Amino acid sequence: MSAEFYTQASRYENLVRIAFDCPRGMKNGADVCFMKNAMTMEDGDTSAKHLGSFEKQFEKVKNYTSKALVKLSKKKPYSADKDFFLNLENSISFVGTTSQLMNIVNKAMDKVLELRK
């Protein structure tokens, strides 16, 4: 696992934790390992093969991200930009790589940080 994967996956974890106001853990997919495992599997690393196929792991991460975006669209102060989060959530069905999904995560996190000010 590269440090870059971990850094990127941390943004995913932070998004989920903020959306669900929860600690790090398996609930709601609030752990860096979900995204990191999908990234390493996509990159050809077989150490996470016990989790199933890349497609299975990726769909799980997409689902967790989707739920987090919907949750943010209903939660103050983020609900002020409800349409922004719902538009991102709608675009998840069109992504096919972890890089594309991370673009959505990054846009969402940037908006979250902007709205927290």
Side-chain angles (χ1 to χ4, degrees):
M1 170 197 62
S2 76
E4 183 182 344
F5 282 170
Y6 188 84
T7 302
Q8 289 178 20
S10 294
R11 288 204 95 193
Y12 156 80
E13 178 186 314
N14 289 335
L15 181 71
V16 175
R17 290 179 63 190
I18 290 167
F20 291 99
D21 194 24
C22 66
R24 181 181 197 178
M26 297 295 123
K27 187 174 181 182
N28 301 313
D31 196 303
V32 70
C33 71
F34 290 103
M35 181 63 81
K36 182 182 64 66
N37 288 340
M39 290 173 155
T40 57
M41 290 172 80
E42 182 181 44
D43 202 39
D45 188 345
T46 58
S47 65
K49 287 292 186 191
H50 65 283
L51 299 171
S53 67
F54 161 72
E55 290 78 14
K56 180 180 174 185
Q57 187 69 17
F58 187 55
E59 284 303 315
K60 186 183 289 190
V61 174
K62 283 172 54 174
N63 189 40
Y64 286 138
T65 306
S66 176
K67 288 179 180 180
L69 292 170
V70 170
K71 185 77 170 175
L72 286 169
S73 75
K74 299 175 183 178
K75 183 177 177 178
K76 290 187 179 187
Y78 316 112
S79 58
D81 256 328
K82 175 182 179 175
D83 290 340
F84 177 82
F85 292 108
L86 292 178
N87 285 336
L88 286 179
E89 191 274 333
N90 286 331
S91 66
I92 286 179
S93 60
F94 301 106
V95 302
T97 67
T98 57
S99 177
Q100 292 170 335
L101 184 57
M102 281 306 304
N103 283 336
I104 292 171
V105 168
N106 288 329
K107 287 177 185 175
M109 274 303 295
D110 290 346
K111 181 62 76 173
V112 163
L113 295 174
E114 173 188 319
L115 293 171
R116 283 180 136 184
K117 292 180 180 177

